[in-house]
Amino acid sequence: MTTMETFNLLQPYKIAEETFVIPWALEAPPVGHFPMNSMVIRGAEPVLVDTGAPAVRSQWLEAAWSVVDPLDVRWIFLTHDDRDHAGNLLAVLAECPNATLLTTWFSIGRMAEEWETPINRCRFMTDGDTIDAGDRTLVAKRPPLYDNPTTRALFDPKTNVLWAVDTFATNVPTPMPDVAALSADEFRDGQSFGGRLVSPWVALLDTQKFRTVVDDFQRLNAEVIAGCHSPVLRGPKISEAYDLLRQLPEIPPWAEFTQADLDQWMAVAESSVPPEQPRPSGT
């Protein structure tokens, strides 16, 4: 098991009692990296929160089973059906025969484009629903930001850990376990960029209505916030993140990268390769 001092991708690290993040990240030139995390709650009835990306399936499964025996897993909470969250779902269901999938009707329909989810192993868990996991009662909650209509966050009142899914998404200069490693400017700019990236519709919202939703989410009083696309938030960084979140409707939309940007990146890549090697444009 990794510690904060020995952080490596796909090595689970503890964020609270019986609660572990499985970290992964994607390189995202020219803005650094984007975290691609998932979570395990180990307790009386262990819970997997999302199932990782298929690009690292074997490594992700190895990481998850280093925390919990798959035969002990009782619940699989699928926040939504995007590939970075549901990509290893069938493999997880196969290796966790005693687990029930916590999902939604719409998620099952959306995943049917690629696979058939075994509905006899499903339980619908929508906004506000709770699940008794033996030594804790977990709460599903619609987060303020999301890029998929089926999204639900998960709150564990026993540890005060909130899995915020895609809310608080941020790019980072290098993979890291905690936002405390970011400078003040990196944290502020990352929250602004990530929020507008995953939820571009936020610019269309009534500011006051959106802030009411954010206030309601903050009233969960989480002491630790983890998410798929963010390092862990703690202490003052939590209230700061909420304050930055409230400002998003008033910030102009993020301007997407264009073909001109791609042409420039390709030109730089071509110029950096020795003549005897294949050109990036040809690979």
Side-chain angles (χ1 to χ4, degrees), residues 166-178:
D166 294 350
T167 301
F168 307 121
T170 183
N171 59 309
V172 292
T174 188
M176 59 187 64
D178 194 293

Side-chain angles (χ1 to χ4, degrees), residues 66 80 94 96 103 111 124 140 181 198 203 241 270:
S66 74
H80 59 294
C96 301
T103 186
M111 290 186 289
F124 290 168
V198 302
E270 296 271 350

Side-chain angles (χ1 to χ4, degrees), residues 131-146:
I131 192 73
D132 182 353
D135 59 349
R136 66 198 70 216
T137 298
L138 303 173
V139 183
K141 186 76 172 175
R142 170 81 80 179
L145 295 183
Y146 48 88

Side-chain angles (χ1 to χ4, degrees), residues 71-82:
L71 296 180
D72 292 335
V73 174
R74 180 64 180 84
W75 307 101
I76 303 163
F77 183 83
L78 190 64
T79 61
H80 59 294
D81 52 82
D82 286 356

Side-chain angles (χ1 to χ4, degrees), residues 165-234:
V165 200
D166 294 350
T167 301
F168 307 121
T170 183
N171 59 309
V172 292
T174 188
M176 59 187 64
D178 194 293
V179 297
L182 294 172
S183 70
D185 287 346
E186 287 171 336
F187 181 70
R188 182 195 64 243
D189 294 346
Q191 290 298 307
S192 173
F193 174 59
R196 292 179 297 158
L197 182 68
V198 302
S199 303
W201 46 262
V202 73
L204 307 176
L205 298 182
D206 176 272
T207 299
Q208 191 53 52
K209 288 183 178 179
F210 179 67
R211 289 179 176 176
T212 298
V213 173
V214 174
D215 291 345
D216 180 60
F217 201 61
Q218 188 172 11
R219 276 193 289 271
L220 291 170
N221 292 321
E223 296 178 3
V224 180
I225 296 181
C228 183
H229 306 304
S230 172
V232 170
L233 293 92
R234 303 174 187 271

Side-chain angles (χ1 to χ4, degrees), residues 1-2 4 12-21 42 234:
M1 197 71 59
T2 191
M4 292 297 190
Y13 63 97
K14 187 175 181 179
I15 63 169
E17 181 184 359
E18 299 283 38
T19 308
F20 303 82
V21 164
R42 192 174 60 189
R234 303 174 187 271

